[in-house]
Amino acid sequence: MSRITRFLSCCVSSLDEVYGREAEIYRDPTSGAVIAECRNNCARRTFLACGFERTPTAFRLRLPEGLSEAEQKARATQAVVHLFHAGHYTDIAYHLVCDSTLAATWAEIRDRRPDHHGWPASPTTDTYTATSAQTAASRRP
């Protein structure tokens, strides 16, 4: 590990301790790439699922080159919503937020909730459906 990588690691760790962030999404001023920094494996998996790719730096991910501005905003916003939903405090640069994606992603999450109409009330209902004879037999003392 180089001195620069160790220094960056220490800086990010100290910012995490001060501000309580588990992840951050911003645009790199030199390259213009959308960067996500996180040290949490769960958050990293969420970023990868939203289309981010790994970089040589262990705690940094980025969106692939060649995406349109709208697609970059949509993927960054989708990642933030899923991370918030999973309980990870994430900071995103204001210019990377897409309002329509924000609303659509929250609506998708609300529709998938177990207490939403149409979803099973318990995890076992979805894999096993009891017959009326079995249900009546289970009520007997």
Side-chain angles (χ1 to χ4, degrees):
M1 189 192 284
S2 71
R3 280 190 249 161
I4 293 172
T5 305
R6 279 195 299 265
F7 174 73
L8 285 173
S9 178
C10 288
C11 288
V12 170
S13 294
S14 64
L15 286 174
D16 288 343
E17 291 173 9
V18 172
Y19 296 108
R21 291 184 200 123
E22 294 185 35
E24 184 176 9
I25 303 174
Y26 61 93
R27 187 175 299 281
D28 186 10
T30 57
S31 68
V34 176
I35 304 292
E37 291 185 358
C38 66
R39 296 194 175 277
N40 185 314
N41 285 333
C42 180
R44 189 172 293 117
R45 283 191 299 270
T46 302
F47 279 123
L48 291 171
C50 290
F52 283 77
E53 55 188 24
R54 297 178 192 276
T55 64
T57 308
F59 56 86
R60 185 176 288 178
L61 297 107
R62 65 186 298 261
L63 283 175
E65 293 179 15
L67 296 176
S68 68
E69 183 72 22
E71 183 65 22
Q72 289 177 350
K73 287 181 176 184
R75 289 187 185 194
T77 304
Q78 185 181 25
V80 166
V81 171
H82 285 291
L83 288 167
F84 275 145
H85 183 254
H88 302 290
Y89 177 70
T90 306
D91 190 23
I92 184 171
Y94 70 91
H95 62 275
L96 291 174
V97 177
C98 175
D99 293 329
S100 60
T101 302
L102 186 70
T105 306
W106 277 119
E108 176 188 339
I109 289 171
R110 274 192 304 275
D111 289 345
R112 284 199 225 164
R113 286 180 31 189
D115 60 343
H116 189 269
H117 178 70
W119 280 75
S122 70
T124 57
T125 310
D126 143 68
T127 57
Y128 175 76
T129 305
T131 63
S132 59
Q134 291 169 332
T135 307
S138 64
R139 285 190 219 142
R140 287 189 213 142

